[in-house]
Structure formats: structure tokens, C-alpha cells
Amino acid sequence: LKLSARLASPATSAMASPPPVTPDDVRAAAARIDGHAVRTPVLTSPELDAAVGHSVFLKCEMFQRTGAFKYRGAANAVLQLSDEQAARGVVCHSSGNHGAAVAAAAKARGVPAVVVVPRTTAPIKVENIKSFGAKVVLCEPTGTARAAAAEAEARRLGGAAIIHPYNQAEVIAGQGTIGLELLEQVPDLDAIIVPVSGGGMLTGIAVAVRGQRPDGSCR
């Protein structure tokens, strides 16, 4: 599918299912964000190994740009904007990490960014988003209010692309690059445990791992 059919627009940004993400999408994302996102280290802890009775390898995404894995998906989405789309800017809604990631990725490409933030968000998170040059718009702390405000801002900007925190193919593929890196760094893993909120990182990693280990030897 062409990018214009995949990045959200004000008319299509409701919670619809994104196009299926494939292992090739994740591999393409890895190539695209190379040099933009950080290849984060894997650390170990003998104390943790002893406590759980297994060898544990920790993928340290706190060392990613903006301090969280979210930069991977944001960069993958922003880098796929056409020049015409980039000129109109990007919009997202976030209570912190996704907003900072989109703001930083947009700044790196010279793209205007607006981040819709619930009014209850911690001030330090709001200031972090602003530090990357994004405009912050406050809204009521509900999912409906966040989505409505983001769509309104996108229309105000003449049709800016909305980058969803997790329910978007480009974002999912970008987060999936964690799985590719982890299997390169620790090839003999037999299981990967992923924290989940919206599910974008979990989905992307699952797609990446299934593509690299189709025999199911890594769960």
C-alpha cells in the first residue's frame, strides 16, 4: 500500500484496524530508521538470573532517543511522509512518551508538529515535548477528547498526518525493530517477554520474531 493510504488523516483516524504488518515491513523499518534511532544495548544481571532460575537478557530501551522505545515507531512514520505531507506537518495525541518521540522525529526532519496532551499530564512531560519544538494543545483526559482534538488540529493544519500511539502500521513496524535487534544480539533466545499497554510494541515484536524464527522456537 502507498503511504498515503496508511498514515492516518482526519477523515480516517478513528480506531479502525491498521493494515496487516509483515516481517518485511519490520525489516524495511529497521533499514529506514538506521542512523536515526539508537541500537540499544542488551544487559544481563546475575542476581536476576539467580532469582528467576533462567538466563535473562534486558533490552535497554531507556537508552533510546527521548528515553523510550516510542522513538522507533515515530521515526518510521515521519520518515515515510511525502514532501507534500511533511509540509502540512504531523499531529499526535499522547500523555508523554509518544508525544516526545513524534516531536523529536518531526524536528529531525524539519516537520511542524502538534501534540495533543491531556491537561492532567505531568508538567515535566509537557516541557519535554515542548523542548523538541512541538506545539502542545491541552485537552480533557479522555480518549474521545484526545482523538477529537488531534483531528481538529490536523484539519486546522490543512490535512496534517496523525501519528497514532500504537494503532498504526508504520508505528507497529517501527516498534518491531526491537525484536530484530534482540535476536541479532542474543540469537539463541527461547522466549521474549514484552510489557503491554496499547499493544503496538508487542505486536511489532511478535511479527518480527515470527519472521525471523518461523519454526516457533522463540515464543
Side-chain angles (χ1 to χ4, degrees), residues 63-106:
F63 297 126
Q64 187 54 257
R65 287 201 61 193
T66 71
F69 73 92
K70 294 283 190 177
Y71 188 77
R72 295 172 181 269
N76 191 46
V78 169
L79 289 169
Q80 290 187 75
L81 293 168
S82 68
D83 290 342
E84 181 182 356
Q85 287 175 312
R88 290 195 292 267
V90 294
V91 177
C92 73
H93 58 79
S94 167
S95 57
N97 287 339
H98 178 65
V102 170

Side-chain angles (χ1 to χ4, degrees), residues 127-217:
E127 291 306 312
N128 188 41
I129 293 169
K130 289 180 178 178
S131 74
F132 295 108
K135 176 185 177 182
V136 170
V137 175
L138 299 180
C139 71
E140 291 302 306
T142 68
T144 299
R146 287 162 58 142
E151 290 174 3
E153 286 299 311
R155 287 192 296 270
R156 182 184 66 80
L157 293 172
I162 296 176
I163 300 177
H164 195 277
Y166 53 84
N167 194 44
Q168 185 169 318
E170 293 81 10
V171 172
I172 293 169
Q175 319 306 26
T177 61
I178 297 170
L180 289 184
E181 287 182 11
L182 185 54
L183 287 179
E184 291 171 359
Q185 293 164 310
V186 191
D188 58 349
L189 285 176
D190 58 14
I192 298 177
I193 298 173
V194 184
V196 62
S197 178
M201 177 170 61
L202 174 61
T203 303
I205 290 175
V207 170
V209 172
R210 180 53 62 90
Q212 297 299 99
R213 303 273 284 275
D215 60 356
S217 58

